[in-house]
Amino acid sequence: MRTLQHTGGLFQRLHQKTVHTPPELTTLRPEEVPPELLPRVRRTWQERAQSEFRSIQILTRFLTEVVGSGDPLEVYAGAVEAVEDEVRHTALCAAVCEALGAPVLLPTPLPLLDPEGFLKAPMPERALATALTMLCINETLSVGYIEDLRARCTQPGLRAVLDTTLADEDEHGDYGWAYAEVSLQRFPASTRKDWRHLVAQTLAPHQEQARRVLADVPQALRALEAHPEPELSHWGILGPVRQALVFERTFQERVAPRLRKLELLG
């Protein structure tokens, strides 16, 4: 598996203009993490670095889609900013991995492999699909998880990482919902069933995972207060039950109402 590489010179100077000043992570040392938790903490932040790297790829593709759709000039700035934000998030997660003594692993396979049918679709259709799946649904859910962690994280360096990420991704969601609302007007009402199908497909893995995790959890324990997890939140990680509960809350309070407004939730 390939690892993330670094370089210097002009590239480093341009990188700094994008990522700004990285958070202070000198307090984050592997020897401070309980030995039984260290592999899990490292793996979680490695997976986040991979996810952020994929987001760079997806949002770079989205930039080509909105330009290829002939969208208004002002739309492009939001797409450019989203790509820059994902570069910054990748750098942040990479810095955490490196502070924890863990290699920064790139996704496998490294290229973004999109279905042939998607790549052959018209650019406006592709742009709306990316906005709905990535920016509206996944980024809104991500904000829910990060907000929950940020409110409880007591490790100063990791809290700063969560602060930066949260500020960016909250704006991504707003941009995505605004874009979807306008972009849907390009398509006849008869296509809403197809967009609803795409939304259902995107939500299904999240919903299935939450159902599976909560299947054996008694109703009396299906509350966030029953799973405070201070030993996990300190290191910026969520337990599976709390993550499932945060998903349900975020979906009901933030995702579902906006999907219904767009007539995209069956």
Side-chain angles (χ1 to χ4, degrees):
M1 184 175 288
R2 294 177 60 179
T3 57
L4 187 70
Q5 302 298 305
H6 296 284
T7 190
L10 171 64
F11 302 112
Q12 175 64 21
R13 293 196 297 274
L14 292 171
H15 175 77
Q16 282 304 120
K17 287 174 64 177
T18 297
V19 304
H20 309 304
T21 303
E24 177 58 63
L25 293 177
T26 55
T27 61
L28 184 63
R29 297 184 293 270
E31 61 268 24
E32 300 292 330
V33 186
E36 69 277 9
L37 271 182
L38 183 57
R40 182 176 176 184
V41 174
R42 282 172 165 167
R43 183 173 62 253
T44 297
W45 285 98
Q46 285 176 317
E47 290 171 352
R48 286 178 183 162
Q50 290 178 315
S51 176
E52 298 293 357
F53 187 89
R54 278 287 188 235
S55 295
I56 296 173
Q57 294 175 308
I58 293 170
L59 290 175
T60 299
R61 190 196 68 200
F62 177 67
L63 175 58
T64 68
E65 290 164 354
V66 295
V67 174
S69 299
D71 279 316
L73 178 64
E74 290 75 14
V75 170
Y76 307 156
V80 170
E81 183 178 347
V83 174
E84 290 184 343
D85 289 345
E86 298 302 345
V87 173
R88 178 161 51 252
H89 302 167
T90 302
L92 291 171
C93 292
V96 172
C97 291
E98 289 160 357
L100 292 169
V104 185
L105 305 175
L106 295 176
T108 302
L110 183 55
L112 183 63
L113 303 179
D114 291 307
E116 185 178 354
F118 175 82
L119 295 176
K120 288 183 176 180
M123 283 294 188
E125 185 176 317
R126 286 177 48 175
L128 178 54
T130 303
L132 287 171
T133 57
M134 178 69 181
L135 293 166
C136 295
I137 295 175
N138 287 328
E139 293 286 64
T140 304
L141 293 175
S142 179
V143 166
Y145 298 136
I146 298 171
E147 279 184 346
D148 183 76
L149 276 175
R150 189 265 178 201
R152 298 176 302 113
C153 181
T154 50
Q155 210 292 327
L158 294 179
R159 187 181 177 93
V161 169
L162 295 171
D163 277 339
T164 299
T165 308
L166 181 60
D168 293 339
E169 294 204 346
D170 200 17
E171 189 173 78
H172 293 183
D174 291 340
Y175 172 86
W177 290 109
Y179 182 83
E181 183 176 8
V182 173
S183 183
L184 275 167
Q185 298 173 20
R186 285 178 165 143
F187 302 93
S190 60
T191 64
R192 286 299 168 97
K193 65 181 186 303
D194 299 314
W195 297 116
R196 282 193 287 269
H197 178 67
L198 175 65
V199 164
Q201 283 186 312
T202 305
L203 288 169
H206 300 284
Q207 293 169 325
E208 178 55 32
Q209 181 179 357
R211 278 194 294 266
R212 187 168 59 249
V213 169
L214 297 176
D216 298 323
V217 178
Q219 195 63 42
L221 296 179
R222 293 191 181 190
L224 291 172
E225 295 75 16
H227 306 275
E229 302 181 345
E231 74 288 354
L232 299 182
S233 61
H234 180 78
W235 304 109
I237 61 178
L238 282 165
V241 173
R242 189 173 182 99
Q243 180 167 322
L245 293 171
V246 172
F247 163 75
E248 289 194 335
R249 181 182 66 181
T250 307
F251 175 73
Q252 293 298 334
E253 294 180 359
R254 299 186 181 185
V255 178
R258 300 183 90 161
L259 288 174
R260 290 192 185 99
K261 181 181 177 183
L262 298 177
E263 302 178 2
L264 294 179
L265 193 64

